[in-house]
Amino acid sequence: MSNADRRDEADCGAQCQPDPLHGRKLRVGIISPYSFETPGGVQFHIRDFAKELIARGHEVEVLAPGRRTNDMPLWVQTVGTSFAIPYNGSVSRLSYFGFVGAQLRRWVRQGHFDIVHLHEPETPSLSHKPLTMVHHPPLIGTFHAAFDVYPFALRFFHGYLNRYLRPLSHAICVSDAAREVAQRYLPGNVPVSVIPNGIDADQFAQATPVPAWQGDDESPTIGFLGRMGEERKGFAVFCRTASRILDRYPQARFLCAGDGEREGRSIVNAVDPSGRLMDHMEFLGRISDEDKARFYRSLSVYIAPQTGGESFGIVLAEAMAAGCAVVASDLPAFVAVADDGRAAALFGNGDDRDCASVVCSLIADRGARASLGEAGQNRALQYDWSSVVDQVLGVYAEVLS
């Protein structure tokens, strides 16, 4: 089946689904716990979800910590302040203290929303605040976080969160891994649904490859995308894997996209002080959404070497949607997106020898690589925003009824 046929079939499926709101258009307020000044998975999720709602005729406003930047849509408002804290192996910019509570409550009252959708309401940030309001629209909470080791802070605040989250009308978890975390502290009377993160599958499937990023069977191009200085993103595993791949494919090139080039170069030099590996590394920096789709479309193989703290696996879904052969660590969230290895090949978490073996096998077998790319592309259709938003609107309809 061609890409066009797959898209037509998916579009037909979406159109044949009954509208759970029966044509009603909503005013939806979405509250982000994290600043939009620094890119992150939750912020991208909120942005793209809001765009899909607006395209369907709903009115949307988003409130986030931090300051406005020139590239923010007009429907994103900010409270003008934020502070940084380490969270789940990363650094998050939140807003909680001072006048932001009054500012948020005023935003909710003046918005006259049918639904207020809170992301990560368990975190000490903006999305925590509406739960204290006496009068408010129905509150939906989306829970993104998953942990390798359950944090002591959450364990300590179980009782508090159990009481605090009672105003929620419904909880959405982006994966089974996120649900396992959230159900530890969610009140028992709050309904829970698992609805995945979304992607624009068409954008990735139709992207034009970049000739300079393309390789061949003897000189393949192998990609990494993520924050190189953040340990859990697995760049060190990627580098050790790359060093092993060079032993078999000495003309291979490794394309590294994302923030942290300085840290990335330090990791490369630590893995291979001889400089051989560095000669095959190309650092692309932070790339646009359009270039990200072209990046995936250009690669021979994409490696997702994350070592933990992943609740979903959006990078897998995106690369799979582009038809790229994906090799991923066997984190539970990645195994789920990869359909237990049928849509993306898996390797033992942190095991660079295993990863290199899987990658080299795919490079050596063009047919296997193409079959894996096709299976991944078919699997990625279920994460398209057209399907994901239908599921969320079903929750909205249920709550409003």
Side-chain angles (χ1 to χ4, degrees), residues 252-271:
R253 295 160 55 208
F254 302 94
L255 309 184
C256 310
D259 292 335
E261 178 177 343
R262 181 174 59 83
E263 295 93 335
R265 288 181 177 275
S266 296
I267 293 170
V268 173
N269 288 327
V271 169

Side-chain angles (χ1 to χ4, degrees), residues 43-53 75 198-200 203 289 318 385 389:
Q43 297 94 313
F44 288 142
H45 175 104
I46 291 170
R47 180 200 65 185
D48 295 340
F49 174 67
K51 285 181 177 178
E52 180 69 18
L53 285 184
W75 38 263
I199 61 170
D200 183 347
Q203 176 191 0
D289 288 346
E318 291 174 343
W385 277 116
V389 170

Side-chain angles (χ1 to χ4, degrees), residues 48-67:
D48 295 340
F49 174 67
K51 285 181 177 178
E52 180 69 18
L53 285 184
I54 291 169
R56 296 186 183 206
H58 302 283
E59 296 181 62
V60 179
E61 292 184 23
V62 173
L63 186 67
R67 300 165 298 177

